[in-house]
């Protein structure tokens, strides 16, 4: 990740830099997912006291930034559900 930040700095792309850096809340979310091994938006929503849509957005942003992996599974309710895992580095 440091390499990507350095490249963005050299290009002067501040929007890309902001996209790579995490807020304290995002860091806490990644740590929480790592400790759980995997997590869903519904679990995060319950923990944070926010809507499932809000939690889903948070997890999706971390996935798109490369901090989380996302698996699509069949939900017990019959639909599909995304399950997130912390991205492993240096493995």
């Amino acid at each position: 990740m440091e390499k990507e930040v350095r490249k963005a700095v050299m290009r002067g792309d501040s929007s890309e830099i902001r996209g790579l850096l995490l807020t304290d809340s995002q860091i806490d979310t990644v740590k929480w997912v790592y400790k759980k091994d995997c997590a869903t938006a519904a679990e995060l929503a319950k923990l944070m006291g926010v809507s499932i849509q809000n939690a889903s957005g948070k997890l999706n942003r971390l996935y798109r930034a490369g901090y989380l992996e996302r698996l699509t599974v069949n939900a017990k309710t019959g639909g599909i559900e995304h399950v997130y895992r912390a991205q492993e580095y240096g493995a």
Side-chain angles (χ1 to χ4, degrees), residues 28-48 52 55-56 58-60 62-63 68-73 81-87:
D28 291 343
T29 300
V30 171
K31 287 180 179 179
W32 175 77
V33 171
Y34 183 77
K35 286 179 187 175
K36 286 188 58 62
D37 187 43
C38 63
T40 65
E43 293 169 327
L44 181 61
K46 185 175 180 180
L47 175 75
M48 297 181 72
I52 292 175
S56 179
K58 291 177 187 297
L59 291 168
N60 192 40
L62 291 167
Y63 162 71
L68 298 178
E69 297 174 353
R70 182 171 74 187
L71 306 168
T72 302
V73 298
E81 181 175 46
H82 295 298
V83 176
Y84 294 87
R85 295 176 47 131
Q87 183 79 307

Side-chain angles (χ1 to χ4, degrees), residues 1-9 11 16-17 20:
M1 191 59 62
E2 290 178 27
K3 187 175 182 181
E4 288 87 356
V5 173
R6 284 195 300 269
K7 286 180 183 178
V9 168
R11 286 192 305 269
E16 184 176 348
I17 294 167
L20 293 169

